[in-house]
Protein backbone atom coordinates (compact mmCIF):
# COMPACT_ATOMS: atom_id res chain seq x y z
CA UNK A 1 0.00 0.00 0.00
CA UNK A 2 1.17 3.52 -0.70
CA UNK A 3 2.08 5.43 2.49
CA UNK A 4 -0.93 6.87 4.21
CA UNK A 5 -0.79 9.14 7.20
CA UNK A 6 2.05 9.98 9.52
CA UNK A 7 4.60 8.39 7.25
CA UNK A 8 4.07 11.47 5.12
CA UNK A 9 2.39 14.10 7.25
CA UNK A 10 3.21 13.59 10.89
CA UNK A 11 6.51 11.91 11.66
CA UNK A 12 6.62 8.68 13.61
CA UNK A 13 8.68 9.32 16.75
CA UNK A 14 7.47 6.98 19.50
CA UNK A 15 8.61 3.38 19.51
CA UNK A 16 7.38 0.70 21.90
CA UNK A 17 10.27 -0.69 23.89
CA UNK A 18 10.74 -3.76 26.10
CA UNK A 19 11.76 -3.20 29.70
CA UNK A 20 15.43 -3.97 30.16
CA UNK A 21 16.96 -5.67 33.14
CA UNK A 22 13.64 -6.99 34.49
CA UNK A 23 13.09 -10.71 34.84
CA UNK A 24 10.25 -12.33 32.91
CA UNK A 25 7.97 -13.27 35.78
CA UNK A 26 4.49 -13.26 34.29
CA UNK A 27 2.59 -15.05 31.54
CA UNK A 28 3.62 -14.79 27.92
CA UNK A 29 1.67 -12.18 25.92
CA UNK A 30 0.18 -12.68 22.49
CA UNK A 31 1.75 -10.54 19.78
CA UNK A 32 0.22 -9.48 16.47
CA UNK A 33 2.39 -7.71 13.88
CA UNK A 34 1.42 -6.39 10.47
CA UNK A 35 1.28 -3.50 8.04
CA UNK A 36 -1.43 -0.93 7.42
CA UNK A 37 -1.79 2.76 6.54
CA UNK A 38 1.66 2.72 4.97
CA UNK A 39 3.34 1.75 8.23
CA UNK A 40 3.65 -1.15 10.67
CA UNK A 41 1.66 -2.08 13.73
CA UNK A 42 2.63 -4.07 16.81
CA UNK A 43 -0.03 -5.27 19.23
CA UNK A 44 0.75 -7.02 22.50
CA UNK A 45 -2.03 -8.33 24.75
CA UNK A 46 -2.67 -10.77 27.57
CA UNK A 47 -5.59 -13.18 27.23
CA UNK A 48 -6.39 -16.04 29.61
CA UNK A 49 -7.97 -17.88 26.69
CA UNK A 50 -4.96 -17.34 24.37
CA UNK A 51 -7.19 -16.17 21.50
CA UNK A 52 -5.60 -14.99 18.25
CA UNK A 53 -7.35 -11.87 16.91
CA UNK A 54 -5.06 -11.34 13.90
CA UNK A 55 -7.76 -11.80 11.25
CA UNK A 56 -10.21 -9.50 13.03
CA UNK A 57 -7.57 -6.82 13.59
CA UNK A 58 -6.53 -6.86 9.93
CA UNK A 59 -10.19 -6.63 8.90
CA UNK A 60 -10.72 -3.60 11.14
CA UNK A 61 -7.71 -1.81 9.70
CA UNK A 62 -8.97 -2.60 6.20
CA UNK A 63 -12.35 -1.03 6.97
CA UNK A 64 -10.76 2.07 8.53
CA UNK A 65 -8.61 2.48 5.41
CA UNK A 66 -11.70 2.16 3.23
CA UNK A 67 -13.10 5.16 5.07
CA UNK A 68 -10.20 7.59 5.62
CA UNK A 69 -7.23 6.65 3.41
CA UNK A 70 -6.62 9.39 0.82
CA UNK A 71 -4.21 7.10 -1.05
CA UNK A 72 -7.06 4.68 -1.75
CA UNK A 73 -9.08 6.20 -4.59
CA UNK A 74 -12.11 4.10 -3.62
CA UNK A 75 -12.16 5.18 0.04
CA UNK A 76 -15.00 7.32 1.32
CA UNK A 77 -12.76 10.30 1.93
CA UNK A 78 -11.36 10.07 -1.61
CA UNK A 79 -14.90 9.97 -3.00
CA UNK A 80 -15.72 13.00 -0.86
CA UNK A 81 -12.64 14.86 -2.10
CA UNK A 82 -13.74 14.34 -5.73
CA UNK A 83 -17.39 15.12 -5.04
CA UNK A 84 -19.20 18.36 -5.76
CA UNK A 85 -21.09 18.56 -2.47
CA UNK A 86 -20.36 15.59 -0.24
CA UNK A 87 -21.10 11.95 0.54
CA UNK A 88 -23.27 9.77 2.73
CA UNK A 89 -21.45 7.36 5.00
CA UNK A 90 -21.44 3.70 4.00
CA UNK A 91 -19.17 2.57 6.84
CA UNK A 92 -19.12 3.61 10.51
CA UNK A 93 -15.50 4.79 10.39
CA UNK A 94 -15.68 8.24 8.81
CA UNK A 95 -17.95 10.09 11.22
CA UNK A 96 -15.86 9.63 14.45
CA UNK A 97 -12.64 11.24 13.12
CA UNK A 98 -14.68 14.00 11.49
CA UNK A 99 -16.43 14.78 14.77
CA UNK A 100 -13.12 14.76 16.65
CA UNK A 101 -11.53 16.94 13.96
CA UNK A 102 -14.30 19.49 14.36
CA UNK A 103 -13.85 19.47 18.15
CA UNK A 104 -10.07 20.04 18.03
CA UNK A 105 -10.35 22.52 15.13
CA UNK A 106 -12.57 24.71 17.29
CA UNK A 107 -10.56 24.23 20.50
CA UNK A 108 -7.24 24.98 18.75
CA UNK A 109 -8.54 28.04 16.88
CA UNK A 110 -7.97 26.27 13.59
CA UNK A 111 -4.41 25.07 14.22
CA UNK A 112 -5.66 21.54 13.52
CA UNK A 113 -7.57 21.54 10.25
CA UNK A 114 -7.90 18.45 8.01
CA UNK A 115 -9.08 20.60 5.09
CA UNK A 116 -5.41 21.53 4.47
CA UNK A 117 -5.28 18.70 1.92
CA UNK A 118 -4.95 21.02 -1.13
CA UNK A 119 -2.07 22.85 0.58
CA UNK A 120 -0.41 19.56 1.56
CA UNK A 121 -0.54 18.54 -2.10
CA UNK A 122 0.71 21.91 -3.30
CA UNK A 123 3.78 21.68 -1.09
CA UNK A 124 4.55 18.14 -2.25
CA UNK A 125 3.60 16.21 0.87
CA UNK A 126 0.42 14.56 -0.42
CA UNK A 127 -0.60 11.90 -2.92
CA UNK A 128 -0.53 14.32 -5.86
CA UNK A 129 2.53 15.45 -7.83
CA UNK A 130 4.56 17.95 -5.88
CA UNK A 131 4.63 21.57 -6.97
CA UNK A 132 6.48 24.72 -5.95
CA UNK A 133 3.65 27.14 -5.17
CA UNK A 134 4.21 30.88 -5.23
CA UNK A 135 2.32 33.17 -2.88
CA UNK A 136 -0.46 33.77 -5.43
CA UNK A 137 -1.12 30.04 -5.69
CA UNK A 138 -1.04 29.62 -1.92
CA UNK A 139 -3.46 32.50 -1.40
CA UNK A 140 -5.85 31.09 -3.99
CA UNK A 141 -5.87 27.69 -2.28
CA UNK A 142 -6.52 29.25 1.12
CA UNK A 143 -9.87 30.48 -0.20
CA UNK A 144 -11.24 26.93 0.07
CA UNK A 145 -9.36 25.73 3.16
CA UNK A 146 -11.15 25.79 6.49
CA UNK A 147 -13.20 23.29 8.47
CA UNK A 148 -16.00 25.87 8.63
CA UNK A 149 -16.63 24.92 4.98
CA UNK A 150 -17.54 21.37 6.15
CA UNK A 151 -20.89 20.27 7.58
CA UNK A 152 -21.18 16.87 9.25
CA UNK A 153 -24.05 14.79 10.56
CA UNK A 154 -24.36 11.23 11.84
CA UNK A 155 -24.85 9.92 8.29
CA UNK A 156 -23.14 12.34 5.89
CA UNK A 157 -20.57 15.07 5.32
CA UNK A 158 -21.00 17.97 2.90
CA UNK A 159 -18.94 20.94 1.75
CA UNK A 160 -19.76 24.46 0.65
CA UNK A 161 -17.13 24.49 -2.12
CA UNK A 162 -16.40 21.54 -4.46
CA UNK A 163 -12.66 22.25 -4.14
CA UNK A 164 -12.64 21.45 -0.40
CA UNK A 165 -10.71 18.27 0.42
CA UNK A 166 -9.99 16.35 3.60
CA UNK A 167 -6.70 14.85 4.78
CA UNK A 168 -6.71 12.58 7.84
CA UNK A 169 -2.90 12.49 8.05
CA UNK A 170 -2.99 14.22 11.42
CA UNK A 171 -5.52 11.94 13.07
CA UNK A 172 -5.85 8.69 11.09
CA UNK A 173 -3.32 6.46 12.83
CA UNK A 174 -4.55 7.53 16.24
CA UNK A 175 -8.08 6.68 15.20
CA UNK A 176 -6.98 3.29 13.87
CA UNK A 177 -5.33 2.51 17.20
CA UNK A 178 -8.54 3.46 19.02
CA UNK A 179 -10.66 1.19 16.81
CA UNK A 180 -8.49 -1.83 17.55
CA UNK A 181 -8.28 -0.95 21.25
CA UNK A 182 -12.07 -0.78 21.48
CA UNK A 183 -12.28 -4.17 19.79
CA UNK A 184 -9.87 -5.76 22.28
CA UNK A 185 -11.82 -4.32 25.20
CA UNK A 186 -15.03 -5.75 23.71
CA UNK A 187 -13.38 -9.17 23.91
CA UNK A 188 -12.55 -8.73 27.58
CA UNK A 189 -8.90 -7.80 26.98
CA UNK A 190 -7.77 -5.00 29.31
CA UNK A 191 -3.97 -5.34 29.46
CA UNK A 192 -2.56 -4.48 26.05
CA UNK A 193 -0.33 -2.18 24.04
CA UNK A 194 -1.51 -1.16 20.58
CA UNK A 195 1.20 0.63 18.57
CA UNK A 196 0.48 1.86 15.05
CA UNK A 197 3.19 3.82 13.27
CA UNK A 198 4.70 4.88 16.59
CA UNK A 199 1.55 5.91 18.40
CA UNK A 200 -1.17 4.06 20.15
CA UNK A 201 -2.84 2.96 23.36
CA UNK A 202 -1.33 1.53 26.55
CA UNK A 203 -4.08 -0.19 28.54
CA UNK A 204 -3.60 -1.73 31.96
CA UNK A 205 -0.10 -3.03 32.61
CA UNK A 206 2.51 -5.33 31.15
CA UNK A 207 1.55 -8.40 33.18
CA UNK A 208 4.73 -10.22 32.21
CA UNK A 209 6.93 -7.62 33.92
CA UNK A 210 4.28 -6.35 36.36
CA UNK A 211 5.18 -2.83 35.32
CA UNK A 212 3.55 -0.07 33.26
CA UNK A 213 3.99 -0.16 29.51
CA UNK A 214 7.16 1.56 28.29
CA UNK A 215 7.58 3.72 25.17
CA UNK A 216 10.49 5.82 23.94
CA UNK A 217 10.62 9.18 22.16
CA UNK A 218 13.20 9.75 19.45
CA UNK A 219 15.86 12.43 19.96
CA UNK A 220 15.48 15.36 17.53
CA UNK A 221 19.18 15.14 16.76
CA UNK A 222 18.68 11.69 15.26
CA UNK A 223 19.11 11.04 11.57
CA UNK A 224 16.96 8.70 9.54
CA UNK A 225 19.82 6.20 9.51
CA UNK A 226 20.85 6.67 13.16
CA UNK A 227 17.90 7.11 15.50
CA UNK A 228 18.24 7.22 19.28
CA UNK A 229 16.01 8.12 22.18
CA UNK A 230 15.55 11.38 24.06
CA UNK A 231 12.96 10.24 26.59
CA UNK A 232 11.39 7.15 28.14
CA UNK A 233 7.75 7.12 29.20
CA UNK A 234 5.83 4.80 31.54
CA UNK A 235 2.13 4.53 30.69
CA UNK A 236 -0.96 2.94 32.19
CA UNK A 237 -4.38 3.54 30.61
CA UNK A 238 -3.13 6.35 28.42
CA UNK A 239 -2.83 6.91 24.69
CA UNK A 240 0.35 8.29 23.19
CA UNK A 241 1.30 10.11 19.98
CA UNK A 242 4.17 12.25 18.75
CA UNK A 243 4.41 14.74 15.90
CA UNK A 244 7.71 16.20 14.74
CA UNK A 245 9.72 17.64 11.89
CA UNK A 246 12.81 15.44 12.12
CA UNK A 247 13.06 13.82 8.71
CA UNK A 248 9.99 14.70 6.64
CA UNK A 249 10.77 17.96 4.88
CA UNK A 250 11.61 19.46 1.49
CA UNK A 251 14.47 21.70 0.47
CA UNK A 252 13.61 24.63 -1.79
CA UNK A 253 16.09 27.34 -2.77
CA UNK A 254 18.30 26.31 0.12
CA UNK A 255 15.49 26.59 2.67
CA UNK A 256 14.09 23.66 4.62
CA UNK A 257 10.29 23.35 4.51
CA UNK A 258 8.47 21.31 7.15
CA UNK A 259 5.68 18.89 6.22
CA UNK A 260 3.49 20.54 8.88
CA UNK A 261 1.30 23.07 7.08
CA UNK A 262 -0.02 26.10 8.97
CA UNK A 263 -3.63 26.53 7.79
CA UNK A 264 -3.62 30.23 8.74
CA UNK A 265 -0.78 31.09 6.35
CA UNK A 266 -0.85 28.27 3.81
CA UNK A 267 2.88 27.76 4.30
CA UNK A 268 4.85 25.09 6.15
CA UNK A 269 4.99 25.98 9.85
CA UNK A 270 8.25 27.72 10.77
CA UNK A 271 8.60 27.29 14.54
CA UNK A 272 11.26 26.39 17.10
CA UNK A 273 9.22 23.41 18.27
CA UNK A 274 10.89 20.10 17.40
CA UNK A 275 8.30 17.59 18.56
CA UNK A 276 5.09 17.34 20.52
CA UNK A 277 4.26 14.13 22.37
CA UNK A 278 0.69 14.09 23.66
CA UNK A 279 -0.94 11.72 26.13
CA UNK A 280 -4.70 11.49 26.56
CA UNK A 281 -7.54 9.09 27.26
CA UNK A 282 -7.99 8.20 23.56
CA UNK A 283 -5.42 8.17 20.80
CA UNK A 284 -7.46 10.13 18.26
CA UNK A 285 -7.55 13.16 20.56
CA UNK A 286 -3.81 13.01 21.22
CA UNK A 287 -3.11 12.61 17.51
CA UNK A 288 -5.06 15.70 16.54
CA UNK A 289 -3.54 17.84 19.29
CA UNK A 290 0.07 16.91 18.54
CA UNK A 291 -0.45 18.26 15.02
CA UNK A 292 -2.07 21.41 16.39
CA UNK A 293 0.87 22.00 18.74
CA UNK A 294 3.38 21.67 15.89
CA UNK A 295 1.46 24.35 14.01
CA UNK A 296 1.18 26.64 17.07
CA UNK A 297 4.78 26.41 18.22
CA UNK A 298 5.95 25.62 21.74
CA UNK A 299 5.06 28.92 23.44
CA UNK A 300 1.41 28.88 22.44
CA UNK A 301 1.18 25.11 22.93
CA UNK A 302 2.35 25.45 26.54
CA UNK A 303 -0.29 28.09 27.21
CA UNK A 304 -3.03 25.98 25.60
CA UNK A 305 -2.04 22.95 27.69
CA UNK A 306 -2.64 24.94 30.87
CA UNK A 307 -6.31 25.16 29.89
CA UNK A 308 -6.68 21.50 28.90
CA UNK A 309 -6.14 19.30 31.98
CA UNK A 310 -7.37 16.29 30.00
CA UNK A 311 -4.13 16.46 27.99
CA UNK A 312 -0.54 15.80 29.03
CA UNK A 313 2.47 16.47 26.86
CA UNK A 314 6.21 16.53 26.39
CA UNK A 315 7.27 19.42 24.17
CA UNK A 316 10.81 19.52 22.76
CA UNK A 317 11.98 22.80 21.23
CA UNK A 318 15.06 24.81 20.36
CA UNK A 319 15.89 27.44 22.99
CA UNK A 320 17.39 30.86 22.44
CA UNK A 321 20.84 29.37 23.05
CA UNK A 322 20.31 26.84 20.26
CA UNK A 323 20.07 23.91 22.67
CA UNK A 324 17.18 21.46 22.97
CA UNK A 325 14.76 22.40 25.75
CA UNK A 326 11.81 20.48 27.12
CA UNK A 327 8.46 21.17 28.74
CA UNK A 328 6.52 18.46 30.57
CA UNK A 329 3.03 18.88 31.95
CA UNK A 330 2.56 18.25 35.65
CA UNK A 331 0.59 15.06 35.08
CA UNK A 332 3.54 13.35 33.33
CA UNK A 333 6.52 14.61 35.35
CA UNK A 334 6.84 11.34 37.27
CA UNK A 335 6.28 9.19 34.18
CA UNK A 336 8.92 10.63 31.84
CA UNK A 337 12.69 10.28 32.05
CA UNK A 338 14.50 12.72 29.73
CA UNK A 339 18.04 11.99 28.63
CA UNK A 340 20.54 14.88 28.94
Amino acid sequence: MIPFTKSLHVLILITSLPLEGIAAIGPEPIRVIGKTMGTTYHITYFDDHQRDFTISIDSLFLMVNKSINTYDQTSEVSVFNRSERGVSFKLPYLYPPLAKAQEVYQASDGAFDPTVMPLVNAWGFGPETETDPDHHHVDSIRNFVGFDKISISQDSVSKSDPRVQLDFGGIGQGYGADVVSDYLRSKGIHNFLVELGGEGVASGTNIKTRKPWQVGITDPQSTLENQFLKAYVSLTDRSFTTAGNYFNYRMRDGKRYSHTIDPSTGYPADRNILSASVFSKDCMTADAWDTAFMVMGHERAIEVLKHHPELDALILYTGADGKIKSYVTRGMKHNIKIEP
Side-chain angles (χ1 to χ4, degrees):
M1 179 181 294
I2 300 175
F4 167 43
T5 53
K6 287 213 169 181
S7 54
L8 280 181
H9 307 308
V10 185
L11 186 65
I12 300 166
L13 298 179
I14 299 182
T15 308
S16 60
L17 298 171
L19 283 167
E20 297 179 357
I22 298 179
I25 53 181
E28 287 296 327
I30 297 171
R31 293 184 173 87
V32 180
I33 300 173
K35 294 182 179 180
T36 188
M37 299 183 182
T39 186
T40 59
Y41 67 81
H42 301 80
I43 299 169
T44 302
Y45 62 91
F46 294 89
D47 179 19
D48 292 338
H49 305 291
Q50 293 293 299
R51 290 168 292 178
D52 184 351
F53 296 118
T54 301
I55 294 176
S56 296
I57 289 170
D58 283 338
S59 295
L60 284 170
F61 281 137
L62 178 62
M63 290 298 98
V64 171
N65 272 283
K66 282 298 180 183
S67 291
I68 66 173
N69 193 334
T70 56
Y71 286 84
D72 181 347
Q73 292 302 304
T74 67
S75 71
E76 288 189 305
V77 69
S78 293
V79 174
F80 170 83
N81 287 346
R82 295 193 302 269
S83 72
E84 291 292 319
R85 292 300 173 191
V87 297
S88 297
F89 304 142
K90 296 181 179 179
L91 297 169
Y93 301 109
L94 186 53
Y95 175 75
L98 278 170
K100 179 60 66 174
Q102 184 177 55
E103 173 191 317
V104 179
Y105 169 79
Q106 294 171 346
S108 66
D109 293 325
F112 176 75
D113 186 349
T115 67
V116 295
M117 182 68 168
L119 289 167
V120 170
N121 283 327
W123 284 102
F125 295 108
E128 297 183 6
T129 305
E130 74 175 51
T131 62
D132 289 305
D134 57 27
H135 70 279
H136 296 295
H137 188 197
V138 171
D139 288 345
S140 68
I141 294 175
R142 287 179 59 207
N143 288 324
F144 50 92
V145 169
F147 206 81
D148 55 340
K149 297 174 175 61
I150 295 286
S151 296
I152 61 175
S153 68
Q154 292 282 347
D155 58 8
S156 64
V157 54
S158 60
K159 51 187 172 181
S160 60
D161 188 310
R163 297 171 295 177
V164 173
Q165 295 182 326
L166 288 165
D167 172 25
F168 288 104
I171 198 173
Q173 288 177 189
Y175 176 53
D178 282 337
V179 169
V180 171
S181 296
D182 288 344
Y183 172 78
L184 291 175
R185 293 188 186 103
S186 75
K187 297 298 182 181
I189 308 298
H190 300 289
N191 297 291
F192 61 81
L193 178 69
V194 172
E195 180 269 324
L196 170 59
E199 51 199 42
V201 180
S203 178
T205 60
N206 185 335
I207 297 177
K208 186 174 180 62
T209 60
R210 298 180 185 174
K211 296 288 184 178
W213 296 103
Q214 306 291 300
V215 298
I217 300 174
T218 303
D219 193 302
Q221 299 180 98
S222 298
T223 64
L224 191 58
E225 296 77 20
N226 182 26
Q227 299 183 38
F228 48 97
L229 298 177
K230 181 64 177 178
Y232 298 85
V233 189
S234 297
L235 294 171
T236 299
D237 297 329
R238 299 300 296 274
S239 296
F240 57 93
T241 70
T242 294
N245 291 322
Y246 297 28
F247 317 121
N248 194 6
Y249 60 87
R250 288 183 59 214
M251 297 299 297
R252 178 183 176 192
D253 299 327
K255 181 176 175 60
R256 177 169 165 162
Y257 286 88
S258 160
H259 70 281
T260 303
I261 306 299
D262 184 343
S264 67
T265 66
Y267 283 79
D270 187 13
R271 312 288 188 188
N272 287 336
I273 189 170
L274 298 171
S275 70
S277 299
V278 180
F279 311 93
S280 67
K281 183 178 179 180
D282 65 281
C283 199
M284 183 165 51
T285 296
D287 207 0
W289 274 108
D290 70 14
T291 303
F293 292 152
M294 292 303 298
V295 170
M296 295 177 185
H298 71 280
E299 293 177 332
R300 185 180 163 203
I302 291 170
E303 289 302 311
V304 168
L305 282 163
K306 294 177 181 178
H307 299 285
H308 285 272
E310 77 279 11
L311 301 175
D312 278 305
L314 165 63
I315 306 293
L316 299 178
Y317 61 95
T318 304
D321 59 0
K323 296 182 180 180
I324 296 177
K325 308 292 184 180
S326 64
Y327 170 83
V328 182
T329 52
R330 183 178 300 178
M332 289 300 293
K333 283 188 180 294
H334 298 297
N335 300 80
I336 295 180
K337 176 185 177 183
I338 302 175
E339 295 294 319

